Amino acid sequence: MKKGLSVKLGLVLLLCFGMLLSACSSTKDGNGSATKGNVGNKEDAGATTTPQEQVKISFMGHGSPQEKDIFTKLIKSYETKYPNVKVEYTSVPPAEYNQKLSTLIASGKTPDVFYVSGPQFYKYAEAGTIQNLQPFLETTELFQEGNVWKQALDRYRYDGKQLGQGDLYGLPKDVGPWAMAYNKTMFEEAGVELPPAEVGKWTWDNWLDAAKKLTKDENGDGKIDIYGGANFNLDGAVWASGGDFIDYSTGTITIDTPEFTNAMQWVADLRLKHKVSPSPEDEKAMNSYSRFVAGKVGMFPMGPWDQPAFWDLPFEWDIAAWPVNPATGKAGTWVGSMGYSVSSKSKHAQEAFNLAAFLALDVEGQKQNYELGQAVPNLIDMAKGEFVSYDKAPANRQVFLDIIEDYGHPTVDFGSKDTKWLDTFRQEAGQVWDGKMTAAEWAKELQPKLQELYDKGNK
Ligand code: CA
């Protein structure tokens, strides 16, 4: 999760966004799942093949070597549960995944089951590359719709025209609430009141006050050594302000609205004006993730997948609610998700579906997933039960669930088949982060360009 040391903050925000998606995807499920909770279900889901008939299916994902190890174990559990099925598993480096997948699809070698992100999901659902899972879901005992986060499931609905409604064409691999971590030890040593876990109890002003109190030049050389906060989530700030990047119902880019530009300026000013967040120069010397880990940043966003690394930190930490914009009383942040889809050309669709359902919904797999600190369970009863009371940091686990249920948003790319417009936004935003232009000037200038890019790739 550590970033290169020489990236500009604008890029860091971009990477950070990428990290949300890819790290969501780096969920590492547990192992040995079928052997405990779900033995003896070989006939479930109305398997179309007899136990004697040997079937081979392919599964492609991406992630770290660690993720690959965990999936290898999980697939063994699936094969134990369905002994007539053999899974050929391929894990490719995340940066190569999309290209590899589209090459396979183009050459008629689509994997039976594969990871899908938001933009790919839209593209492949529309093109008929992935199949409607609804008929399968109606026959599997693994799926109890009321016990899976709606916020995750709805990402994978498609009604033939629009996303977010209709039948399920994918199942969530995970649900990734982007929370705000804080260095509890630093707060206590500085005598600063701890950020509350409940949303609405503190505002952007309170956040800034705390950040100012924590920011320090320790050795008096005129250079700040400890920053109050870093990587305040722009997208969340925009949503908290009642703005958005785009109105997907009309396909209009809305970055030039006051709601948007005021939020962006507020985030930029944390560094430019208030100097409570690292500058691009600081980022070059040490990125914000490394700074937080080194105890040099007070508040820093994290996803559930960051837990294992944070469990090893030499200071106490927790997560807090995102502060609300005082003008609206609202908070905002991301809820990421990656999914599993089944090829519409699969010769063994039932077995392929069974694998996707097993990975997304199996009780034992989900349990191991959260115990390893990789994700919030997809299963609501588990998330609200044993997950919130799990005896490891963060203590305020409820914050993750509040984000999922109350104020988290799908990432901005969800709803775009082509994301060049958004990539361009992230690349160009350095103009504002560096203080070369105000958010309002910049957005006014950039909006037509983004609109053209969006129209070209999506209309
Ligand atoms: Ca200093």
Side-chain angles (χ1 to χ4, degrees):
M1 206 63 55
K2 285 172 192 171
K3 303 279 101 60
L5 296 179
S6 59
V7 280
K8 288 189 175 174
L9 183 59
L11 268 179
V12 167
L13 292 175
L14 169 67
L15 285 168
C16 183
F17 177 76
M19 180 171 77
L20 178 74
L21 300 180
S22 68
C24 277
S25 76
S26 73
T27 301
K28 296 147 192 102
D29 297 87
N31 50 27
S33 42
T35 51
K36 288 180 189 165
N38 290 282
V39 186
N41 299 332
K42 285 165 199 158
E43 288 163 12
D44 73 350
T48 50
T49 49
T50 64
Q52 291 80 16
E53 189 187 336
Q54 290 300 306
V55 165
K56 210 180 253 184
I57 58 171
S58 53
F59 169 48
M60 191 167 87
H62 56 71
S64 62
Q66 193 194 358
E67 171 158 346
K68 191 178 176 182
D69 286 350
I70 290 162
F71 268 81
T72 301
K73 285 176 194 156
L74 209 65
I75 287 163
K76 280 210 176 81
S77 302
Y78 166 84
E79 289 172 338
T80 305
K81 186 174 173 182
Y82 301 94
N84 65 313
V85 188
K86 195 93 191 111
V87 180
E88 277 179 349
Y89 170 45
T90 312
S91 176
V92 297
E96 296 163 25
Y97 181 80
N98 287 348
Q99 185 55 49
K100 170 106 178 166
L101 180 61
S102 57
T103 304
L104 288 173
I105 290 169
S107 58
K109 292 174 186 160
T110 315
D112 292 292
V113 183
F114 53 95
Y115 289 9
V116 283
S117 67
Q120 289 173 310
F121 176 76
Y122 195 178
K123 198 166 73 179
Y124 294 144
E126 193 177 58
T129 308
I130 54 179
Q131 60 175 290
N132 187 343
L133 301 181
Q134 210 67 40
F136 299 102
L137 285 163
E138 275 152 25
T139 59
T140 181
E141 64 182 34
L142 281 174
F143 185 57
Q144 291 161 329
E145 188 167 342
N147 195 32
V148 184
W149 299 109
K150 182 181 187 305
Q151 294 80 354
L153 284 177
D154 284 354
R155 309 285 169 92
Y156 304 103
R157 292 188 190 281
Y158 180 64
D159 66 1
K161 205 176 162 204
Q162 271 187 297
L163 293 183
Q165 54 194 55
D167 288 350
L168 283 159
Y169 282 71
L171 287 173
K173 178 171 175 285
D174 57 21
V175 53
W178 193 235
M180 201 194 69
Y182 64 94
N183 181 328
K184 195 175 170 190
T185 304
M186 188 192 291
F187 269 79
E188 285 170 350
E189 284 175 2
V192 180
E193 197 183 334
L194 298 180
E198 198 181 323
V199 71
K201 299 268 174 177
W202 74 329
T203 67
W204 289 5
D205 297 335
N206 301 132
W207 188 95
L208 182 56
D209 272 352
K212 283 178 178 168
K213 287 175 188 158
L214 297 171
T215 300
K216 268 189 197 130
D217 170 12
E218 282 187 306
N219 54 5
D221 68 352
K223 286 183 188 162
I224 293 166
D225 307 295
I226 293 178
Y227 285 101
N231 290 21
F232 196 98
N233 184 238
L234 167 69
D235 304 17
V238 169
W239 294 320
S241 306
D244 212 331
F245 288 67
I246 180 168
D247 177 353
Y248 275 121
S249 70
T250 59
T252 311
I253 306 293
T254 52
I255 62 162
D256 52 346
T257 59
E259 291 85 357
F260 191 101
T261 56
N262 290 343
M264 190 176 190
Q265 195 62 55
W266 189 80
V267 174
D269 283 346
L270 294 177
R271 188 179 66 243
L272 297 171
K273 194 166 145 189
H274 305 293
K275 304 195 190 318
V276 297
S277 289
S279 70
E281 289 305 307
D282 296 324
E283 285 287 339
K284 275 184 202 165
M286 186 190 245
N287 70 36
S288 293
Y289 177 91
S290 303
R291 277 177 199 272
F292 180 75
V293 167
K296 307 259 179 216
V297 164
M299 298 176 278
F300 184 74
M302 71 175 288
W305 50 88
D306 286 319
Q307 292 172 93
F310 287 11
W311 285 337
D312 293 333
L313 294 178
F315 52 82
E316 278 194 79
W317 61 278
D318 207 340
I319 52 177
W322 281 93
V324 299
N325 178 335
T328 62
K330 287 195 165 65
T333 185
W334 293 314
V335 177
S337 181
M338 185 67 78
Y340 303 111
S341 282
V342 173
S343 165
S344 52
K345 299 231 171 77
S346 175
K347 292 195 178 86
H348 304 290
Q350 182 65 59
E351 288 76 11
F353 165 79
N354 290 349
L355 177 62
F358 180 85
L359 295 173
L361 306 166
D362 177 76
V363 169
E364 197 58 31
Q366 289 292 304
K367 185 180 170 67
Q368 283 160 355
N369 212 6
Y370 88 73
E371 285 180 346
L372 287 165
Q374 300 306 323
V376 175
N378 284 334
L379 306 169
I380 295 171
D381 58 356
M382 186 182 288
K384 291 189 174 176
E386 54 190 275
F387 169 79
V388 268
S389 53
Y390 191 45
D391 188 24
K392 275 193 172 179
N396 292 331
R397 288 171 169 263
Q398 181 64 36
V399 168
F400 282 137
L401 308 191
D402 290 346
I403 291 172
I404 296 171
E405 289 195 295
D406 297 343
Y407 62 97
H409 286 237
T411 50
V412 184
D413 63 349
F414 184 80
S416 290
K417 279 165 274 186
D418 182 295
T419 59
K420 278 195 194 75
W421 70 274
L422 188 57
D423 301 338
T424 303
F425 174 91
R426 309 272 184 210
Q427 283 153 16
E428 302 281 325
Q431 298 286 322
V432 178
W433 307 137
D434 291 346
K436 289 182 182 132
M437 293 176 88
T438 66
E441 291 162 357
W442 175 80
K444 195 179 170 193
E445 206 175 287
L446 191 68
Q447 193 278 347
K449 188 177 170 188
L450 295 193
Q451 188 67 60
E452 198 184 323
L453 285 171
Y454 176 80
D455 293 349
K456 206 170 148 193
N458 294 278
K459 283 185 176 171

